[in-house]
Amino acid sequence: MEDKYKCPYCGGTGKELVSGPEWNDYYETCEHCHGSGKKMIEVSMEDYENAHKDEKQKEREQLYKKAIEKWGKELQITLAIEEMSELQKELCKYLRGDRNRSAILEEITDVEIMIEQIKIMLNIDELNIKELKEYKINRLKKRIEGR
């Protein structure tokens, strides 16, 4: 139950759940800021998953770094190119009438894994990608709207 509620001040999870005067009021002791009697807010499953995403992402980054260390940058970049080629091949098959969505899904996944490794190898910051992506999405929007 303690992972279901978070502190509105620091985002930490509460320990001892006590019902407040309203049906959705909960008061707890925060694990992180050690505040007592602070009102906690219920978090959705999506919020819960996002809070734990950082841990998963760190584990994946460590795995990607081990792969880069084991096989080297050159081989991993070569594999990234191969995976992009396999995705290209499956998309061409799709255009010819082979509706193999599962093969396309598999190749997209492989490409995304290799892109994550490329970002590590080339020290590409996620914030830079997000900013550039936002710029390009806005540019696309303007082109669609004819501006």
Side-chain angles (χ1 to χ4, degrees), residues 14 16 22 27 40 47 94 99 103 111 115 119 135 147:
E16 300 171 58
E22 301 292 325
Y27 296 87
M40 298 294 185
D47 290 336
Y94 179 85
R99 301 297 189 225
V111 168
I115 286 172
K119 290 191 295 191
Y135 166 78
R147 294 192 271 164

Side-chain angles (χ1 to χ4, degrees), residues 49-65:
E49 288 171 357
N50 286 337
H52 291 83
K53 189 184 286 182
D54 288 338
E55 294 170 20
K56 244 184 183 176
Q57 186 62 28
K58 286 177 187 175
E59 288 175 19
R60 287 180 183 161
E61 283 180 17
Q62 290 304 313
L63 181 64
Y64 297 151
K65 286 177 182 178

Side-chain angles (χ1 to χ4, degrees), residues 10-104:
C10 77
T13 55
K15 287 183 181 177
E16 300 171 58
L17 179 64
V18 179
S19 293
E22 301 292 325
W23 70 272
N24 61 346
D25 283 349
Y26 298 96
Y27 296 87
E28 303 185 46
T29 302
C30 179
E31 291 178 346
H32 301 283
C33 71
H34 305 291
S36 183
K38 292 181 179 176
K39 183 177 179 181
M40 298 294 185
I41 54 175
E42 190 170 350
V43 285
S44 68
M45 192 57 154
E46 182 179 347
D47 290 336
Y48 175 81
E49 288 171 357
N50 286 337
H52 291 83
K53 189 184 286 182
D54 288 338
E55 294 170 20
K56 244 184 183 176
Q57 186 62 28
K58 286 177 187 175
E59 288 175 19
R60 287 180 183 161
E61 283 180 17
Q62 290 304 313
L63 181 64
Y64 297 151
K65 286 177 182 178
K66 287 178 182 177
I68 294 163
E69 187 178 310
K70 182 169 184 163
W71 292 299
K73 290 181 179 182
E74 191 173 313
L75 181 59
Q76 293 309 94
I77 291 172
T78 301
L79 288 174
I81 294 166
E82 288 177 11
E83 294 298 348
M84 288 184 276
S85 176
E86 289 173 17
L87 175 58
Q88 179 182 9
K89 179 186 76 170
E90 291 303 328
L91 291 171
C92 287
K93 286 180 181 179
Y94 179 85
L95 291 175
R96 289 195 315 263
D98 182 0
R99 301 297 189 225
N100 191 356
R101 280 191 74 230
S102 63
I104 293 171

